[in-house]
Amino acid sequence: MSLNILIVDDSVTVRAVIKKTLKLAEIPYNELHEAGNGQEALDILKDAWIDLVFADINMPVMTGIEMVEKMSDDGMLSSVPVIVVSTEGSQTRIEQLKQKGISAYVRKPFTPETIKSVVNEVLGDKIA
Amino acid sequence: MRDDLKEILIDSMTDVVEKLTFMFIEEAEPEEMDVEGRELLKVHMTFSGEHKGQLELLSPKSKVVEISANVLGLDEEEVTEEMYSDSFREVLNVLLGNILTSRYGVEPVFDLSVPVVTEPDEAEWKEKMVLEEALGLLLDDDPVILIFNVEE
C-alpha cells in the first residue's frame, strides 16, 4: 500500500530532511503534503485523504499539541496516526504527548532505520 | 573546558551534523581557525529549567549555505537567506536538545528559546575563539566555533 503522508513543521529544512529520510527508508508513499503549522495541517486533513502525519511540537499559529487535540475531537481525523518528530528529550513531556494521543515519538536527529521502524510499528501490516 | 563536557559537545555535534547534514566533524588546531576576509554567521539560543544557559555556533556563511543546499537538495546559488537561516537555526536547535539530554539525562524538563541568527564580524569571532567555553571544530574542513554556557 502506498501512503499519503503529511509533514507538519515550520522549518523547511526539517520537512526536507523528513522527505529525504522517507525515500532512504523506502517507505512506500503516493502523495506527500506539507504544512508549516497545525492549522495548515488541519486544513489539508479536511481536504485530502492522509494515512500518516509527521508533526513537530513547537510551531507558530498552532502547535503540534493543539493540532493533535483538535484531531482527537474530530470523528474523521481521530484515527489518523501522528508521529511527533522533535528535539524534546524530557521523558515527562514525551509521556504527556502520548497521553494526548500521539502514536509515536521520534527524537531528532534520526536515521532512516529509526523512521522505518517507527512507521512499521505504527502502521503494521498496512504497508506490508 | 572540562574533558567530559568537551566529549559531550563533540559527540553531539558529530551525531547531529552527520545525520542532518551528512558532513563530518573533527577537533581543530588553533591555526586552522582562521576566517580572515570571510563573511560569518552566528546562531544563538538559550535554555531554562533545572539549569539555565545558552548555546552558540559560529561559522563561515559559505559553510552554512553549503549545509542548507545539501539538506534541501538545491544548488548553492538557489539557497536564499531565509533557507540558510532556517537550516542554521535547525542545526542548533537539534544540537541543544542532544547536548542537554547527554549532559542531564531524560528527567529534567527544559524550555528552549527560538534560535536567532546574526552576522558577527571577524573581531567577534576572535573574541569568542579564546573563551574558556569555546570549542574550535572543523566541519568538513571549515572552522566553526561551538560555545556552551551554563549559569551555575
Side-chain angles (χ1 to χ4, degrees):
Chain A
M1 173 187 170
S2 280
L3 305 168
N4 290 344
I5 295 175
L6 170 60
I7 302 171
V8 193
D9 200 302
D10 57 325
S11 164
V12 64
T13 302
V14 175
R15 298 202 302 265
V17 170
I18 293 175
K19 279 192 282 184
K20 194 181 280 186
T21 307
L22 289 171
K23 283 181 190 159
L24 290 171
E26 298 177 337
I27 304 292
Y29 62 82
N30 180 29
E31 291 173 18
L32 268 187
H33 297 263
E34 293 182 46
N37 60 61
Q39 185 56 59
E40 284 181 18
L42 290 175
D43 292 343
I44 291 171
L45 282 160
K46 281 172 189 160
D47 286 341
W49 179 267
I50 299 293
D51 300 294
L52 180 63
V53 178
F54 287 92
D56 188 18
I57 303 174
N58 297 313
M59 293 178 285
V61 184
M62 184 188 287
T63 68
I65 304 300
E66 291 167 321
M67 181 195 79
V68 169
E69 285 171 345
K70 287 190 183 293
M71 286 175 69
S72 299
D73 292 341
D74 185 307
M76 289 291 285
L77 302 180
S78 59
S79 61
V80 180
V82 179
I83 298 173
V84 167
V85 181
S86 167
T87 56
E88 183 60 62
S90 157
Q91 206 54 47
T92 307
R93 284 217 174 122
I94 293 169
E95 282 309 316
Q96 285 169 349
L97 287 169
K98 288 182 177 165
Q99 284 167 14
K100 297 270 183 196
I102 68 163
S103 302
Y105 176 81
V106 174
R107 185 144 176 265
K108 299 175 194 170
F110 45 79
T111 61
E113 291 75 22
T114 303
I115 293 292
K116 192 176 181 81
S117 161
V118 171
V119 171
N120 280 333
E121 186 187 310
V122 169
L123 294 178
D125 53 10
K126 279 188 187 170
I127 57 167
Chain B
M1 180 183 293
R2 281 170 38 185
D3 283 347
D4 58 341
L5 177 59
K6 190 175 180 179
E7 193 181 331
I8 285 173
L9 295 183
I10 292 176
D11 286 351
S12 295
M13 189 75 175
T14 301
D15 192 37
V16 170
V17 299
E18 282 184 9
K19 287 178 184 159
L20 206 60
T21 72
F22 312 103
M23 290 180 179
F24 294 95
I25 276 286
E26 59 183 312
E27 204 174 339
E29 297 297 331
E31 63 271 17
E32 294 174 306
M33 295 300 292
D34 181 32
V35 289
E36 194 179 341
R38 299 182 72 173
E39 283 184 273
L40 304 169
L41 290 175
K42 177 174 87 171
V43 62
H44 163 265
M45 68 191 293
T46 61
F47 61 92
S48 56
E50 205 165 283
H51 303 272
K52 194 175 172 187
Q54 58 181 330
L55 184 68
E56 282 179 274
L57 181 63
L58 290 87
S59 166
K61 181 179 166 185
S62 59
K63 177 55 67 180
V64 179
V65 172
E66 188 187 334
I67 289 171
S68 191
N70 273 359
V71 173
L72 298 174
L74 299 171
D75 290 333
E76 288 180 25
E77 302 73 43
E78 297 174 288
V79 174
T80 64
E81 182 178 347
E82 191 180 346
M83 289 172 186
Y84 69 67
S85 297
D86 178 80
S87 299
F88 205 26
R89 283 193 295 266
E90 190 55 28
V91 167
L92 197 77
N93 188 36
V94 178
L95 188 57
L96 181 55
N98 212 287
I99 290 170
L100 291 175
T101 308
S102 297
R103 187 150 168 76
Y104 302 115
V106 296
E107 292 305 320
V109 175
F110 290 103
D111 291 314
L112 311 186
S113 72
V114 174
V116 176
V117 176
T118 54
E119 296 180 8
D121 56 19
E122 213 175 303
E124 185 176 345
W125 175 278
K126 286 179 179 165
E127 278 169 29
K128 299 280 185 188
M129 212 171 70
V130 294
L131 293 174
E132 168 68 24
E133 315 82 48
L135 180 62
L137 298 165
L138 289 179
L139 177 54
D140 269 9
D141 298 330
D142 271 311
V144 297
I145 301 173
L146 185 64
I147 302 170
F148 181 67
N149 261 317
V150 181
E151 295 172 20
E152 300 294 351

